Amino acid sequence: MLWFWFFAGPALVLAFLSLRGERKRAAYVAGRLAEAPPPDMDKALPPATVIVPVKGGDPGLRENLAALAAQDYPNYELIVVAHRAADIPAGVLPARARVVLAHAQEPGTGEKVLNLRTAVRFARKDSLLYAFADSDGRVSRTWLRALASPLSRSMSTSMTDTRVGASTGYRWYAPEPPDFWSLMRSVWDAVIGGTFSSGSNAFAWGGSMAIRRETFHAIRVPDFWRDTVSDDYALSDAVRRAGLRIVFAPGAMAVSTDRTSGRAFLAWARRQLTITRVYRPRLWWTALAAHIFYCGGMAAAIIASIHGSRGAEWVLLAQLSPGMLKGANRATLAKAELPEYKAWFDRHAWVHTLWVPLATWIWLIVLLASAFGNRIEWRGNRYRLKTVHPRA
């Protein structure tokens, strides 16, 4: 039985330790969503520039851009940036959008990063806040307010929290109509979203993040946006190395309703984790080690159960329960963050509980697949990822 406990013991410990902070995360999300804005909030919100890069025709692109153009925000501009005019499909641009074409090329730097670097230079002079969105996500009317709120507070001289460097939301996949692989992508990706909580977060997600203009230039984000393919990991590095915090804004979630095939999902997931291995190796190794023990513990318990061990059945149940509870909590919080998608959650939230064990195995498979090679394909471009060294 030594082999059994070698995997099952650490798996049990990891499973129960993973529940730490779930109650605190739930309280944080509920508190932020219920928080009433001060009467003079509109005056406190800084003028903003929203930047969204476009590369081809994402499903729902016209509606996604329209949502960014219809924000309940007193003073902002919307910049749609692309490498070239042909990257923007006809008939998708809202009337208020301003188009910037980058035409930039720089070996070792991703096209999206080059587009963002160019767009920032064209932001209007009175904007005090930069917000970044992805073209494949749809946001609520109050998305920009949610991102700006933590940064507006740190701007105010009446507030003591001056260490907020950036704010971030995350995405939720709500495929409609759903199928197996599209729902599995939702369960798989929600694990990452479940890491965002109170305090300082490990990274800002590029599809929903904001930073003060003054901070952006003071911590030299454009310099970090060189020789990299990941805009969000690079910006997060700049923020964290400056000793600043990344604050999670639950009201700044983006939703993707498109569907995917199994092949496309696995290729996308491998690319995400390859990027993580290169730019966040400690995070990648931690995830790999944890999933080796998670899946090893599951396999050991199943094998022992087949051989007649009743105790192994209880061990398996004890190991699976915390992960499934976390999955249920992730779906519950996302439903609160995205009230306009209540009907979707009412029909499909159960997969975020029952499919967690299977998603854990897919995590292990994709982690192992991402262990080799530094080349990825992204939006039709091929990149060779390079380890980012600290900049002076």
Side-chain angles (χ1 to χ4, degrees):
M1 290 292 287
L2 182 61
W3 65 271
F4 172 79
W5 287 111
F6 176 80
F7 287 104
L12 282 172
V13 172
L14 288 170
F16 282 96
L17 286 179
S18 71
L19 289 176
R20 291 183 309 171
E22 283 299 295
R23 182 174 296 179
K24 182 179 180 182
R25 172 173 144 78
Y28 172 77
V29 170
R32 291 301 299 267
L33 293 178
E35 199 172 45
D40 59 346
M41 184 62 183
D42 279 9
K43 295 180 180 179
L45 291 171
T49 293
V50 175
I51 299 172
V52 53
V54 170
K55 175 75 170 179
D58 291 304
L61 176 59
R62 181 176 182 176
E63 292 77 13
N64 297 345
L65 295 179
L68 290 169
Q71 290 294 295
D72 178 17
Y73 196 87
N75 187 1
Y76 80 102
E77 67 167 346
L78 173 63
I79 292 180
V80 173
V81 60
H83 176 66
R84 54 180 184 163
D87 291 335
I88 304 176
V92 301
L93 291 174
R96 71 172 298 166
R98 184 155 63 94
V99 176
V100 171
L101 300 179
H103 296 297
Q105 292 186 347
E106 186 177 297
T109 302
E111 184 178 293
K112 178 185 179 183
V113 178
L114 290 171
N115 289 348
L116 295 180
R117 259 179 32 199
T118 302
V120 165
R121 294 200 298 269
F122 282 87
R124 62 186 185 181
K125 300 304 180 183
D126 66 336
S127 284
L128 301 180
L129 186 77
Y130 297 145
F132 303 93
D134 276 352
S135 59
D136 60 352
R138 192 165 308 167
V139 299
S140 69
R141 281 180 53 81
T142 56
W143 169 80
L144 186 53
R145 282 179 176 267
L147 279 179
S149 178
L151 299 167
S152 303
R153 293 178 179 189
S154 61
M155 285 178 174
S156 173
T157 57
S158 64
M159 298 293 177
T160 58
D161 187 2
T162 60
R163 307 309 296 170
V164 177
S167 60
T168 184
Y170 196 63
R171 70 181 149 210
W172 187 270
Y173 284 106
E176 194 64 58
D179 55 27
F180 174 80
W181 283 111
S182 300
L183 287 173
M184 179 53 69
R185 179 179 62 176
S186 181
V187 177
W188 188 92
D189 191 64
V191 173
I192 303 172
T195 65
F196 289 96
S197 187
S198 59
S200 185
N201 291 273
F203 67 95
W205 177 60
S208 178
M209 65 182 182
I211 186 171
R212 296 189 303 272
R213 183 181 196 142
E214 180 183 14
T215 303
F216 180 88
H217 293 289
I219 64 177
R220 300 181 296 108
V221 172
D223 292 338
F224 281 76
W225 277 352
R226 297 184 185 278
D227 299 321
T228 186
V229 173
S230 176
D231 57 304
D232 42 16
Y233 276 154
L235 182 143
S236 301
D237 280 344
V239 171
R240 292 173 64 83
R241 290 181 192 179
L244 302 176
R245 299 167 55 222
I246 298 171
V247 173
F248 175 51
M253 296 288 285
V255 174
S256 293
T257 59
D258 63 303
R259 300 195 298 171
T260 187
S261 65
R263 182 176 182 179
F265 161 58
L266 293 174
W268 167 81
R270 180 187 177 276
R271 187 187 76 214
Q272 299 299 107
L273 293 187
T274 300
I275 291 172
T276 300
R277 177 175 58 81
V278 174
Y279 296 132
R280 284 288 193 281
R282 182 178 299 179
L283 182 61
W284 185 89
W285 280 106
T286 300
L288 177 63
H291 281 83
I292 286 174
F293 281 108
Y294 275 135
C295 295
M298 272 191 259
I302 291 171
I303 293 170
S305 298
I306 292 173
H307 285 82
S309 172
R310 296 297 300 273
E313 297 175 3
W314 287 104
V315 169
L316 180 62
L317 179 62
Q319 182 188 341
L320 297 182
S321 297
M324 295 171 75
L325 285 172
K326 284 190 68 175
N329 191 49
R330 288 191 291 264
T332 298
L333 296 182
K335 182 178 180 179
E337 293 161 349
L338 299 163
E340 60 270 37
Y341 291 89
K342 179 181 180 299
W344 186 92
F345 284 99
D346 289 342
R347 292 195 304 270
H348 308 300
W350 61 271
V351 302
H352 285 267
T353 301
L354 298 185
W355 289 14
V356 166
L358 178 56
T360 302
W361 281 95
I362 293 178
W363 263 96
L364 177 61
I365 291 168
V366 178
L367 281 163
L368 293 174
S370 69
F372 306 98
N374 285 10
R375 296 185 183 276
I376 64 168
E377 183 173 336
W378 194 351
R379 298 271 181 166
N381 295 317
R382 295 179 180 272
Y383 301 103
R384 182 179 181 275
L385 305 180
K386 297 184 293 184
T387 302
V388 179
H389 298 287
R391 296 162 172 80

